């Protein structure tokens, strides 16, 4: 089983839609979780951290479910500029950031 | 420069050759990471340095891959006897994180695209 698993998509949604991605992780001792965004042929950039109590940043909401070992990212009111690949990142131990394969989002007008 | 710098941006080599990829992290960042990314895949962890030492090299695929960071700043990823399967974008990232914890932010360079013919 891979350490971090994501549905690769693509998720095709119209502008204004709400879309959610899930990510599962295998190491129950993992302590830190993040979502990164990667635009085509660009480097990944931090979108947001994921806290145990859940957290929100504008149209983006991240949640953690430790019992089921998954994290989620919800995007409300999708914009064309949200089109990108969203990477789930977990630190299973130490400080080694492990990336999922990414979920591709395409927002259409 | 202000960001992470990687050179070369593109490297084409022949199977069996030796390759070096360089990463110049953000000044003052103690942590440095190497990843490689193939088309349609997420970044695959290779190695992580804290200062001069490799804190975790569990991601290096085999002994053809080696990385150094002799002075705790610039790092070089070395690949011996390259194979076609080594073709990928090699990403370097740095972070100001110390032993006390981390912010979750890795600052990536633009990557070195390696093509092995």
């Amino acid at each position: 089983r891979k350490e971090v698993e994501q549905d690769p998509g693509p998720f095709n949604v119209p502008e204004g839609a709400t879309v959610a991605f899930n990510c599962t992780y295998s190491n129950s001792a993992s302590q830190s979780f993040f979502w990164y965004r990667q635009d085509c042929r660009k480097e990944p950039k931090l979108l947001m951290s994921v806290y145990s109590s859940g957290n929100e940043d504008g149209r983006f909401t991240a949640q953690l479910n430790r019992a089921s070992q998954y994290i989620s990212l919800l995007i409300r009111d999708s914009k064309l500029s949200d089109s990108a690949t969203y990477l789930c990142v977990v630190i299973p131990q130490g400080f080694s950031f492990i990336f999922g394969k990414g979920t591709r989002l395409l927002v259409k007008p | 420069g202000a960001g992470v710098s990687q050179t070369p941006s593109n490297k084409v080599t022949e199977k069996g050759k030796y390759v070096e990829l360089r990463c110049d992290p953000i000044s003052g960042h103690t942590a440095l990471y190497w990843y490689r990314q193939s088309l349609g895949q997420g970044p695959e962890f290779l190695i992580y340095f804290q200062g001069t030492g490799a804190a975790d090299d569990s991601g290096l695929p085999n002994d053809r891959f080696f990385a150094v960071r002799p002075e705790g700043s610039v790092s070089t990823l070395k690949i011996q006897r390259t194979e076609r399967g080594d073709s990928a974008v090699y990403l370097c990232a740095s972070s100001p994180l110390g032993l006390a914890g981390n912010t979750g932010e890795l600052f990536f360079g633009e990557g070195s695209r390696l093509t092995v013919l």
Side-chain angles (χ1 to χ4, degrees):
Chain A
R1 181 182 174 188
K2 291 187 181 297
E3 291 202 73
V4 181
E5 296 203 59
Q6 295 182 250
D7 179 345
F11 284 60
N12 293 291
V13 302
E15 266 188 295
T18 295
V19 61
F21 312 133
N22 284 342
C23 160
T24 59
Y25 60 94
S26 61
N27 189 327
S28 60
S30 300
Q31 292 297 317
S32 301
F33 310 89
F34 314 93
W35 284 100
Y36 274 67
R37 170 187 169 136
Q38 186 172 26
D39 293 302
C40 189
R41 295 189 171 270
K42 296 288 189 181
E43 69 274 21
K45 293 185 179 178
L46 178 66
L47 177 66
M48 59 195 303
S49 300
V50 185
Y51 302 124
S52 296
S53 55
N55 49 297
E56 190 173 304
D57 182 1
R59 297 180 294 108
F60 299 83
T61 300
Q63 292 193 312
L64 168 64
N65 184 318
R66 286 192 183 276
S68 300
Q69 293 180 211
Y70 78 82
I71 68 174
S72 63
L73 177 68
L74 181 79
I75 306 175
R76 291 181 299 279
D77 189 23
S78 300
K79 310 291 185 190
L80 295 176
S81 58
D82 294 334
S83 296
T85 296
Y86 290 84
L87 298 160
C88 173
V89 185
V90 175
I91 300 182
Q93 61 182 23
F95 297 102
S96 301
F97 291 64
I98 305 300
F99 285 72
K101 289 187 174 183
T103 297
R104 191 171 169 214
L105 172 65
L106 297 172
V107 181
K108 298 182 176 180
Chain B
V4 176
S5 176
Q6 290 189 246
T7 55
S9 55
N10 277 287
K11 175 71 178 179
V12 179
T13 191
E14 293 179 343
K15 181 174 179 292
K17 299 290 188 182
Y18 170 78
V19 167
E20 287 191 354
L21 306 175
R22 176 189 165 106
C23 174
D24 199 341
I26 293 172
S27 178
H29 281 192
T30 57
L32 185 146
Y33 297 77
W34 282 101
Y35 290 83
R36 71 176 175 182
Q37 187 171 26
S38 301
L39 193 63
Q41 303 294 312
E44 175 192 2
F45 172 77
L46 297 177
I47 187 169
Y48 151 59
F49 286 92
Q50 182 62 255
T52 60
D56 183 353
D57 64 358
S58 63
L60 294 177
N62 51 60
D63 62 5
R64 294 188 298 105
F65 288 75
F66 189 69
V68 296
R69 195 185 185 199
E71 298 178 357
S73 55
V74 171
S75 175
T76 304
L77 178 66
K78 308 180 180 192
I79 310 173
Q80 298 178 321
R81 304 183 304 281
T82 51
E83 299 177 357
R84 292 191 180 89
D86 298 336
S87 296
V89 176
Y90 288 80
L91 293 165
C92 175
S94 70
S95 171
L97 74 86
L99 297 176
N102 70 83
T103 63
E105 187 149 20
L106 297 179
F107 296 83
F108 282 87
E110 295 184 345
S112 292
R113 182 176 297 276
L114 174 66
T115 303
V116 182
L117 301 177

